[in-house]
PDB file of all heavy atoms in Angstrom:
ATOM      1  N   LEU A  55       2.070  -9.048   4.340  1.00 98.00           N
ATOM      2  CA  LEU A  55       0.906  -8.216   4.648  1.00 98.00           C
ATOM      3  C   LEU A  55       0.523  -7.400   3.419  1.00 98.00           C
ATOM      4  O   LEU A  55       1.375  -6.721   2.821  1.00 98.00           O
ATOM      5  CB  LEU A  55       1.284  -7.253   5.799  1.00 98.00           C
ATOM      6  CG  LEU A  55       0.255  -6.208   6.229  1.00 98.00           C
ATOM      7  CD1 LEU A  55      -0.957  -6.877   6.884  1.00 98.00           C
ATOM      8  CD2 LEU A  55       0.887  -5.210   7.213  1.00 98.00           C
ATOM      9  N   LEU A  57      -1.753  -4.286   2.465  1.00 98.00           N
ATOM     10  CA  LEU A  57      -2.553  -3.172   2.961  1.00 98.00           C
ATOM     11  C   LEU A  57      -3.388  -2.646   1.801  1.00 98.00           C
ATOM     12  O   LEU A  57      -2.836  -2.219   0.782  1.00 98.00           O
ATOM     13  CB  LEU A  57      -1.637  -2.061   3.492  1.00 98.00           C
ATOM     14  CG  LEU A  57      -0.780  -2.404   4.710  1.00 98.00           C
ATOM     15  CD1 LEU A  57       0.315  -1.355   4.878  1.00 98.00           C
ATOM     16  CD2 LEU A  57      -1.623  -2.486   5.981  1.00 98.00           C
ATOM     17  N   LEU A  95       7.204  -5.108  10.184  1.00 97.00           N
ATOM     18  CA  LEU A  95       8.559  -4.605   9.888  1.00 97.00           C
ATOM     19  C   LEU A  95       9.577  -5.155  10.880  1.00 97.00           C
ATOM     20  O   LEU A  95      10.692  -5.509  10.490  1.00 97.00           O
ATOM     21  CB  LEU A  95       8.581  -3.065   9.909  1.00 97.00           C
ATOM     22  CG  LEU A  95       7.881  -2.381   8.738  1.00 97.00           C
ATOM     23  CD1 LEU A  95       7.977  -0.863   8.889  1.00 97.00           C
ATOM     24  CD2 LEU A  95       8.465  -2.803   7.401  1.00 97.00           C
ATOM     25  N   LYS A  99       8.807  -9.038   7.630  1.00 97.00           N
ATOM     26  CA  LYS A  99       7.795  -9.646   6.766  1.00 97.00           C
ATOM     27  C   LYS A  99       7.507  -8.687   5.602  1.00 97.00           C
ATOM     28  O   LYS A  99       7.339  -7.487   5.825  1.00 97.00           O
ATOM     29  CB  LYS A  99       6.498  -9.905   7.533  1.00 97.00           C
ATOM     30  CG  LYS A  99       6.660 -10.791   8.772  1.00 97.00           C
ATOM     31  CD  LYS A  99       6.601 -12.261   8.424  1.00 97.00           C
ATOM     32  CE  LYS A  99       7.024 -13.139   9.571  1.00 97.00           C
ATOM     33  NZ  LYS A  99       5.984 -13.942  10.166  1.00 97.00           N
ATOM     34  N   PRO A 100       7.427  -9.199   4.383  1.00 98.00           N
ATOM     35  CA  PRO A 100       7.137  -8.334   3.233  1.00 98.00           C
ATOM     36  C   PRO A 100       5.794  -7.614   3.357  1.00 98.00           C
ATOM     37  O   PRO A 100       4.823  -8.190   3.883  1.00 98.00           O
ATOM     38  CB  PRO A 100       7.127  -9.315   2.052  1.00 98.00           C
ATOM     39  CG  PRO A 100       8.008 -10.433   2.486  1.00 98.00           C
ATOM     40  CD  PRO A 100       7.762 -10.589   3.965  1.00 98.00           C
ATOM     41  N   ILE A 101       5.767  -6.375   2.894  1.00 98.00           N
ATOM     42  CA  ILE A 101       4.532  -5.578   2.895  1.00 98.00           C
ATOM     43  C   ILE A 101       4.329  -5.007   1.484  1.00 98.00           C
ATOM     44  O   ILE A 101       5.239  -4.407   0.908  1.00 98.00           O
ATOM     45  CB  ILE A 101       4.617  -4.405   3.907  1.00 98.00           C
ATOM     46  CG1 ILE A 101       4.799  -4.937   5.328  1.00 98.00           C
ATOM     47  CG2 ILE A 101       3.358  -3.523   3.814  1.00 98.00           C
ATOM     48  CD1 ILE A 101       4.975  -3.835   6.375  1.00 98.00           C
ATOM     49  N   PHE A 102       3.139  -5.211   0.956  1.00 98.00           N
ATOM     50  CA  PHE A 102       2.728  -4.563  -0.287  1.00 98.00           C
ATOM     51  C   PHE A 102       1.520  -3.712   0.072  1.00 98.00           C
ATOM     52  O   PHE A 102       0.567  -4.194   0.693  1.00 98.00           O
ATOM     53  CB  PHE A 102       2.392  -5.612  -1.343  1.00 98.00           C
ATOM     54  CG  PHE A 102       2.065  -5.030  -2.702  1.00 98.00           C
ATOM     55  CD1 PHE A 102       2.709  -3.909  -3.187  1.00 98.00           C
ATOM     56  CD2 PHE A 102       1.121  -5.653  -3.513  1.00 98.00           C
ATOM     57  CE1 PHE A 102       2.415  -3.375  -4.444  1.00 98.00           C
ATOM     58  CE2 PHE A 102       0.817  -5.130  -4.781  1.00 98.00           C
ATOM     59  CZ  PHE A 102       1.472  -3.995  -5.243  1.00 98.00           C
ATOM     60  N   PHE A 201      11.305  -6.444   1.102  1.00 98.00           N
ATOM     61  CA  PHE A 201      10.196  -6.063   0.232  1.00 98.00           C
ATOM     62  C   PHE A 201       9.177  -5.272   1.026  1.00 98.00           C
ATOM     63  O   PHE A 201       8.327  -5.827   1.738  1.00 98.00           O
ATOM     64  CB  PHE A 201       9.520  -7.309  -0.363  1.00 98.00           C
ATOM     65  CG  PHE A 201       8.551  -6.998  -1.488  1.00 98.00           C
ATOM     66  CD1 PHE A 201       8.874  -7.314  -2.807  1.00 98.00           C
ATOM     67  CD2 PHE A 201       7.330  -6.370  -1.257  1.00 98.00           C
ATOM     68  CE1 PHE A 201       8.009  -7.026  -3.851  1.00 98.00           C
ATOM     69  CE2 PHE A 201       6.447  -6.083  -2.282  1.00 98.00           C
ATOM     70  CZ  PHE A 201       6.796  -6.413  -3.577  1.00 98.00           C
ATOM     71  N   VAL A 202       9.320  -3.957   0.959  1.00 98.00           N
ATOM     72  CA  VAL A 202       8.327  -3.055   1.556  1.00 98.00           C
ATOM     73  C   VAL A 202       8.052  -1.990   0.502  1.00 98.00           C
ATOM     74  O   VAL A 202       8.871  -1.112   0.253  1.00 98.00           O
ATOM     75  CB  VAL A 202       8.841  -2.422   2.865  1.00 98.00           C
ATOM     76  CG1 VAL A 202       7.857  -1.372   3.378  1.00 98.00           C
ATOM     77  CG2 VAL A 202       9.065  -3.489   3.933  1.00 98.00           C
ATOM     78  N   LEU A 203       6.893  -2.135  -0.155  1.00 98.00           N
ATOM     79  CA  LEU A 203       6.582  -1.297  -1.317  1.00 98.00           C
ATOM     80  C   LEU A 203       5.143  -0.804  -1.223  1.00 98.00           C
ATOM     81  O   LEU A 203       4.224  -1.593  -0.974  1.00 98.00           O
ATOM     82  CB  LEU A 203       6.770  -2.127  -2.603  1.00 98.00           C
ATOM     83  CG  LEU A 203       6.341  -1.483  -3.914  1.00 98.00           C
ATOM     84  CD1 LEU A 203       7.185  -0.261  -4.258  1.00 98.00           C
ATOM     85  CD2 LEU A 203       6.428  -2.513  -5.064  1.00 98.00           C
TER      86      LEU A 203
END
Side-chain angles (χ1 to χ4, degrees):
L55 176 68
L57 296 165
L95 288 180
K99 303 275 169 112
I101 299 176
F102 185 36
F201 192 108
V202 174
L203 173 65

